[in-house]
Amino acid sequence: MLKKLIPRLQVNTIYDIDLEALRKQGYRGIITDLDNTLVGAKAPLATPELTAWLKRVGEAGFQVVIVSNNERNRVSRFAEPLSIPFIYRAKKPTSAAFRRALRMMNLSAKETVVIGDQMLTDVLGGNRLGLYTILVLPISRADEGFFTKVNRRLEKAALTLMKR
Ligand SMILES: [Mg+2]
């Protein structure tokens, strides 16, 4: 269980991800978290920097689906202006939403990466299905909700256990 919390790759931000390298390794799809991965949890819309990055992602030949545990309104308001498909109330780390995202892209687990800022939802869920998992640092810790704060404490405890 603890091993499943470890991401395949750890970077500071999505902008540090080497898209070309992923492409060469055969990856074609990106399942990405929204809050604190793409923008801060309280930021309603994409930043110009993010919009430019998403454009590059598309040009590099990747499909993208946003998979978020957040509510419909938050996710749709963010994703619809970008014309990116999304799944809300995803109940990560359970598998259903990840599988659905793979079906939406018509890709297999082996062709898809998961990007997120939480080990207990994004990384655990992705690893369980054999997706390539990338952990980013959370964009803004200040805006996090109660459950995310609890998850952070559990992440810390898991890391401490793993270091033993
Ligand atoms: Mg998040």
Side-chain angles (χ1 to χ4, degrees):
M1 154 78 184
L2 285 179
K3 270 192 182 163
K4 289 256 191 284
L5 293 173
I6 309 293
R8 290 280 293 278
L9 180 70
Q10 230 172 322
V11 291
N12 288 335
T13 76
I14 52 167
Y15 307 110
D16 299 310
I17 297 169
D18 187 342
L19 295 169
E20 283 310 309
L22 289 177
R23 221 10 231 189
K24 281 194 191 123
Q25 290 168 63
Y27 295 102
R28 300 287 180 268
I30 295 176
I31 292 173
T32 181
D33 174 50
L34 200 185
D35 293 322
N36 275 331
T37 297
L38 298 181
V39 293
K42 288 272 155 35
L45 298 171
T47 59
E49 190 183 21
L50 176 65
T51 307
W53 183 79
L54 288 168
K55 193 167 166 244
R56 277 200 288 125
V57 166
E59 285 165 359
F62 290 95
Q63 297 184 70
V64 179
V65 178
I66 294 172
V67 175
S68 171
N69 282 354
N70 212 331
E71 299 296 318
R72 179 183 195 154
N73 273 354
R74 190 303 189 247
V75 186
S76 67
R77 273 181 202 161
F78 177 87
E80 271 168 8
L82 299 166
S83 303
I84 293 180
F86 60 90
I87 297 170
Y88 59 91
R89 280 199 205 168
K91 299 197 174 78
K92 292 177 284 185
T94 60
S95 300
F98 290 102
R99 289 187 203 280
R100 213 170 112 207
L102 290 177
R103 281 199 301 275
M104 286 161 82
M105 297 188 286
N106 197 23
L107 291 174
S108 70
K110 280 184 184 156
E111 298 170 297
T112 307
V113 308
V114 174
I115 308 172
D117 69 304
Q118 287 197 65
M119 291 162 63
L120 286 160
T121 55
D122 309 306
V123 174
L124 177 59
N127 281 344
R128 279 163 128 189
L129 281 184
L131 300 157
Y132 184 97
T133 46
I134 303 176
L135 183 70
V136 299
L137 292 174
I139 290 171
S140 168
R141 296 285 298 271
D143 297 333
E144 287 180 340
F146 173 76
F147 290 106
T148 304
K149 289 206 172 86
V150 171
N151 272 350
R152 297 279 178 222
R153 297 194 81 121
L154 290 170
E155 278 178 3
K156 246 179 123 179
L159 282 173
T160 308
L161 276 173
M162 280 183 285
K163 276 180 196 143
R164 282 198 193 147

